[in-house]
Amino acid sequence: MSEELKKEITGTVEAVVFRNEANGYTILEVYIEGKKEVATVVGVLPFVGEGESITVRGDWVFHSEYGKQFKADSFEKRIPKDTSAILKYLSSGVVKGIGPKTAAKIVEKYGADSLDVLAEHPDWITEFKGITARKALEISEQIRTQTSFYKLFDFCKDRLPMTVALRIHHAYGDRAIEMLRENPYRLCGEIEGYNFAAADAIAIESGYASEGRERIFGATVQVLKRACEVGGHACLPVKTVIAEVAELISIDAKVVAEQEKEFAMSGEIGYLHREGGSLLYINEFLSTERGIVRLLQRLDANCIRYDFSDMDAMVRRVELESSISFAAEQRTAIFEAAESGVMIITGGPGTGKTTIIKALIRIYESMGCDVALAAPTGRAAKRMSESTAHDAKTIHRLLEVEYRDDDGGGTVFARNERNLLDEDIIIVDEASMIDMFLMLSLLRAIRPGARLVLIGDCDQLPSVGAGNVLRDMIGSGAFNTVRLTEVFRQGSESLIVTNAHRINRGEAPILDRHDMDFFFMRRQGGDEILGTLIDVCINRLPKTYGVSAFDRIQIITPTKKGGAGTESLNRLLQQKLNPPAAGKREKKYGEVVFREGDKVMQVRNNYDLSWLEGGKERFGIYNGDIGIIQKIFESQSYMMIDFDGREVKYPFDSLEELEHAYAITVHKSQGSEYPIVLMPITDFPPMLMTRNLLYTAVTRAKEMAILIGRESALTQMVENAQESVRYTGLQSLLEAANGKAD
């Protein structure tokens, strides 16, 4: 909304109806000056309490259930001056530790000076019953904190959203304004929502030089951070950084090059020399890759080797007990795992990876070893449990992710280098999905002497998060790796598996079989493709097989944008599968309407969301988790979502992390399998018309894959072996540590 179109109201806060302490989202009842009416005001309004005078800027909106409301974009607060306003303010609960009775006593004694006394002379209020010296200091700190926030907010007004100002205040407290004035670029990369553009606006007003060192540094952090968030890169080539920084701030590339050299020499920016082009990093990212190398080396060197004669006898016993005979590649994988601290097993669908996992479990448990199974996502862990009849956890749960309100809050892993995992063998499936930050956390928690077995398909798309860990480990040649190529589930059993391998080899898939589990429906125009896709999803499959788009059918597509993208498909499918109805509550967030009964997906790891399991509170809903909206509670600003049996209280302030999931991207489908997969095949952006994207999509189907579209587009994808470059230095670091450096 433009500044000139914003409206403004001024009044006194009559009541605080709701407040989220973490992010400041608040619902107020405000008595409007001069109008003798009370308005409901909603927005990010931290520390505002009853009795205070505020001026709020924004606009009037109409809520379908609660009527007319004023949605705040910004506000100004005036600390209450007269005794009646101060009494109401202190009695409201906005200052913890002071209730109505104590507030009345304080105001009776100190009158209009009460707030100054609380802030500057906390020892004076210890005479009141229940206020100890420690409590008085805590009250004083609260008053000071609120005052410093409002000073910061005034400084940031019209430059930053209130939510970002609040995050800066949480991080730096009284020092926030000082830091922003001294070097506004310093916070780039540290505070969510505070980007280079925001820093630049503050710096220009403060007279910073356009070619100044601090500005170039801020732009460099912005370029590297965006490369991580958008492309999954751990780093970028030096030449790329110089070009992008020069373009971002419109200065000569030679000036940028000189500064980048200085940043690297001073250690402010990470630098890695390698043949083919040196790389620049945010320091944390380079430390992450180096930490992975160090811990992998330690783990591989310290494991106990087993006697092969004993291992051979155990393998034969497993074969007899299971009535199977391991293929040569499978036997090699099992034996190599006995000889390796770090072992990698990679292969496509139907190559027997699950059979190997079950064999390793039986062998190691028969030796008295404790085995842990894990996977990056909840769906992958669930599938691993079902296929092995052995408990499997997400990596986050294995590491016991938890929320702490000390040290600034946030989430941590309880299992780490100071509290190591107890298990002797850690087997991780879908390892291609593990990003570099999660891999480092996992390695920190594995005790020296234990074993790590990574199992995955390195031909699939890389992790959504930064890095390319599995491929880099394989490419370095530093660890025992077995690539499974023999397919056991093929031919008359599964055309999905046969075609997946044909696609991976660059061969045309078989499209003329109509009695199998892989179907190609030829359609030409975009409308024809989408019409058939929708019809198959909501009519043909449900009528023929009794299945539903809410559980057994999943549409996946390469892109978010365009007619065949998730945004368009989700709007169409929501209208047909879950249309508006009387009594069905909704919540509009931006241009998206969430409705009770909607199928939704979490698109970012959120370690703070919790649910109950066996009477114990568990934390974490992760990127790719799919759920159904059960109930929406507008007045309390949350909805209940069922994520595969985990009932989560989902606050409205986290809705930016939620998307409809009637259709999802191929990238978001990684690590999951769906009984039936539908996919449109048409002209997507060139970077998405690739073999490994198609291969990843087809391998998501467990029982049936249905592709709908143009055969020429399918052929183009099969023949295009190019992959998007993902810049990392992990392979080079592993090669150097393994004596293969240039």
Side-chain angles (χ1 to χ4, degrees):
M1 187 190 308
S2 64
E3 290 297 315
E4 60 271 17
L5 293 178
K6 287 185 179 180
K7 295 180 176 61
E8 181 178 289
I9 62 173
T10 297
T12 304
V13 178
E14 292 289 306
V16 178
V17 179
F18 170 83
R19 171 174 285 124
N20 183 319
E21 297 291 349
N23 59 29
Y25 182 82
T26 306
I27 301 175
L28 302 175
E29 296 294 339
V30 176
Y31 183 82
I32 303 176
E33 289 181 4
K35 290 192 176 183
K36 296 183 179 180
E37 65 179 70
V38 175
T40 300
V41 177
V42 299
V44 179
L45 305 157
F47 307 126
V48 176
E50 294 176 8
E52 293 189 280
S53 293
I54 60 171
T55 297
V56 187
R57 300 188 73 202
D59 201 1
W60 293 101
V61 296
F62 189 84
H63 190 276
S64 58
E65 185 173 352
Y66 298 100
K68 191 177 180 182
Q69 298 178 335
F70 192 87
K71 186 176 180 181
D73 294 318
S74 64
F75 75 103
E76 296 176 8
K77 167 179 164 177
R78 296 188 295 277
I79 298 296
K81 300 294 185 182
D82 62 81
T83 55
S84 61
I86 292 173
L87 176 59
K88 195 166 189 178
Y89 170 70
L90 292 177
S91 301
S92 69
V94 73
V95 179
K96 292 180 175 60
I98 297 180
K101 291 182 179 179
T102 304
K105 292 177 182 177
I106 293 172
V107 173
E108 182 182 359
K109 181 163 186 176
Y110 296 110
D113 296 325
S114 296
L115 294 181
D116 291 335
V117 168
L118 292 174
E120 304 298 334
H121 306 285
D123 54 308
W124 292 8
I125 63 170
T126 55
E127 65 182 82
F128 298 109
K129 185 178 180 181
I131 297 184
T132 61
R134 179 178 177 180
K135 192 172 183 179
L137 289 173
E138 291 173 351
I139 291 169
S140 174
E141 181 61 28
Q142 288 182 68
I143 299 291
R144 287 172 175 271
T145 295
Q146 294 179 27
T147 302
S148 67
F149 170 76
Y150 287 113
K151 288 179 180 177
L152 173 64
F153 180 64
D154 284 341
F155 179 81
C156 295
K157 189 169 55 179
D158 300 327
R159 297 176 178 136
L160 296 172
M162 285 183 282
T163 50
V164 178
L166 188 59
R167 290 184 193 122
I168 294 173
H169 189 264
H170 281 327
Y172 298 107
D174 293 344
R175 297 174 53 236
I177 295 177
E178 177 187 348
M179 292 184 68
L180 286 170
R181 281 182 173 145
E182 286 182 358
N183 184 1
Y185 300 106
R186 178 178 176 180
L187 274 62
C188 289
E190 294 184 16
I191 305 295
E192 183 182 351
Y194 182 85
N195 54 27
F196 176 79
D200 219 26
I202 295 172
I204 289 171
E205 288 183 18
S206 302
Y208 274 75
S210 62
E211 297 186 1
R213 187 180 191 279
E214 294 87 352
R215 188 167 189 247
I216 296 174
F217 181 80
T220 301
V221 171
Q222 173 77 1
V223 165
L224 291 171
K225 185 181 179 186
R226 180 166 176 78
C228 168
E229 293 173 344
V230 176
H233 303 292
C235 50
L236 286 176
V238 175
K239 291 181 180 179
T240 301
V241 175
I242 291 170
E244 291 193 12
V245 169
E247 182 179 1
L248 177 63
I249 58 179
S250 302
I251 67 172
D252 193 298
K254 292 181 180 179
V255 176
V256 177
E258 285 298 317
Q259 286 293 349
E260 298 299 348
K261 183 178 180 181
E262 184 182 328
F263 295 149
M265 291 179 65
S266 66
E268 293 169 274
I269 292 292
Y271 174 79
L272 179 64
H273 172 74
R274 68 169 189 177
E275 280 191 359
S278 297
L279 302 168
L280 292 180
Y281 289 78
I282 291 175
N283 278 327
E284 176 194 354
F285 296 176
L286 181 55
S287 297
T288 296
E289 288 198 331
R290 283 177 169 160
I292 290 171
V293 172
R294 175 177 55 83
L295 293 171
L296 282 172
Q297 281 191 300
R298 186 182 73 176
L299 197 60
D300 201 38
N302 290 339
C303 79
I304 302 169
R305 267 63 178 179
Y306 293 106
D307 188 293
F308 271 109
S309 60
D310 291 341
M311 184 61 63
D312 188 57
M314 285 186 281
V315 170
R316 287 198 303 271
R317 185 165 65 246
V318 170
E319 288 180 315
L320 289 171
E321 291 173 352
S322 306
S323 298
I324 60 174
S325 179
F326 293 120
E329 290 175 342
Q330 292 175 313
R331 291 180 67 87
T332 299
I334 294 168
F335 276 80
E336 291 289 347
E339 188 66 12
S340 310
V342 177
M343 172 72 190
I344 301 169
I345 302 170
T346 183
T351 54
K353 298 190 293 293
T354 299
T355 301
I356 293 172
I357 294 174
K358 291 192 285 189
L360 291 174
I361 293 170
R362 297 186 72 167
I363 289 170
Y364 283 116
E365 286 188 340
S366 71
M367 298 165 62
C369 297
D370 289 329
V371 180
L373 302 186
T377 69
R379 284 176 173 257
K382 183 178 180 181
R383 192 173 70 249
M384 197 180 187
S385 293
E386 292 170 348
S387 62
T388 63
H390 193 285
D391 182 46
K393 302 175 181 178
T394 62
I395 297 174
H396 292 84
R397 187 172 170 193
L398 177 71
L399 299 180
E400 299 177 16
V401 64
E402 60 184 35
Y403 181 84
R404 289 184 177 171
D405 54 14
D406 57 348
D407 297 325
T411 53
V412 295
F413 291 118
R415 294 290 184 169
N416 50 44
E417 57 268 37
R418 296 177 298 279
N419 181 26
L420 299 170
L421 291 167
D422 300 319
E423 289 82 3
D424 305 292
I425 315 293
I426 315 295
I427 303 174
V428 181
D429 198 10
E430 296 287 357
S432 64
M433 293 185 65
I434 305 176
D435 64 41
M436 63 184 191
F437 303 112
L438 185 57
M439 176 58 82
L440 180 61
S441 294
L442 175 62
L443 292 171
R444 282 173 170 166
I446 300 176
R447 62 178 180 79
R451 280 176 163 70
L452 174 64
V453 181
L454 299 175
I455 300 175
D457 187 347
C458 65
D459 293 321
Q460 290 186 21
L461 295 171
S463 59
V464 175
N468 207 352
V469 176
L470 185 66
R471 281 200 188 185
D472 284 347
M473 289 177 65
I474 293 172
S476 72
F479 308 101
N480 280 341
T481 301
V482 173
R483 181 183 283 272
L484 304 173
T485 58
E486 185 176 351
V487 181
F488 301 98
R489 180 163 53 95
Q490 61 175 339
S492 61
E493 187 179 347
S494 175
L495 194 56
I496 293 173
V497 172
T498 299
N499 277 342
H501 286 277
R502 290 176 70 90
I503 290 167
N504 203 31
R505 294 192 298 267
E507 301 172 8
I510 298 168
L511 304 179
D512 57 358
R513 295 288 299 274
H514 304 291
D515 59 342
M516 300 289 287
D517 55 4
F518 184 102
F519 302 92
F520 186 75
M521 302 177 70
R522 291 174 176 82
R523 300 291 187 273
Q524 294 303 317
D527 291 342
E528 187 182 10
I529 292 170
L530 295 182
T532 302
L533 183 76
I534 299 296
D535 184 44
V536 169
C537 178
I538 69 175
N539 292 318
R540 299 193 201 182
L541 286 173
K543 288 178 182 177
T544 304
Y545 298 100
V547 295
S548 165
F550 289 94
D551 50 20
R552 296 180 59 78
I553 302 171
Q554 184 61 59
I555 294 176
I556 60 178
T557 180
T559 182
K560 285 187 173 185
K561 305 296 183 180
T566 56
E567 292 177 358
S568 176
L569 286 171
N570 276 316
R571 283 194 297 270
L572 285 170
L573 289 161
Q574 183 195 37
Q575 184 63 32
K576 293 182 179 296
L577 292 166
N578 190 34
K584 189 179 285 186
R585 286 170 285 193
E586 300 178 349
K587 170 61 181 177
K588 187 173 183 181
Y589 185 80
E591 298 301 315
V592 179
V593 174
F594 292 105
R595 186 173 297 134
E596 290 177 347
D598 271 342
K599 182 179 180 180
V600 292
M601 171 181 275
Q602 180 73 13
V603 297
R604 190 183 305 164
N605 288 345
N606 187 322
Y607 307 118
D608 300 339
L609 294 174
S610 66
W611 73 96
L612 291 178
E613 182 181 72
K616 184 176 181 180
E617 188 174 24
R618 303 285 188 184
F619 287 92
I621 296 296
Y622 306 116
N623 191 352
D625 284 351
I626 290 178
I628 303 293
I629 297 176
Q630 303 294 313
K631 292 285 185 183
I632 295 176
F633 300 93
E634 180 70 34
S635 61
Q636 289 93 347
S637 297
Y638 74 90
M639 58 180 67
M640 293 301 300
I641 304 179
D642 185 339
F643 288 98
D644 278 336
R646 296 166 293 169
E647 293 190 355
V648 175
K649 185 176 179 179
Y650 203 100
F652 287 172
D653 54 77
S654 295
L655 287 177
E656 65 181 356
E657 301 173 2
L658 203 66
E659 293 179 358
H660 287 108
Y662 301 105
I664 63 175
T665 63
V666 177
H667 284 83
K668 291 297 183 185
S669 74
Q670 287 177 260
S672 297
E673 275 187 350
Y674 310 96
I676 301 173
V677 165
L678 299 180
M679 182 179 178
I681 302 293
T682 185
D683 293 322
F684 297 110
M687 68 182 68
L688 300 175
M689 299 289 286
T690 63
R691 181 186 301 168
N692 75 324
L693 187 144
L694 178 62
Y695 171 76
T696 301
V698 170
T699 55
R700 299 308 90 207
K702 185 177 182 181
E703 299 172 10
M704 188 182 300
I706 304 174
L707 277 55
I708 302 169
R710 295 192 302 104
E711 190 170 349
S712 59
L714 181 70
T715 300
Q716 182 181 343
M717 295 181 81
V718 173
E719 293 177 348
N720 183 9
Q722 292 185 348
E723 299 176 19
S724 298
V725 175
R726 179 165 286 198
Y727 292 108
T728 70
L730 183 60
Q731 180 173 330
S732 297
L733 290 166
L734 284 167
E735 288 172 346
N738 204 37
K740 296 183 181 180
D742 48 9

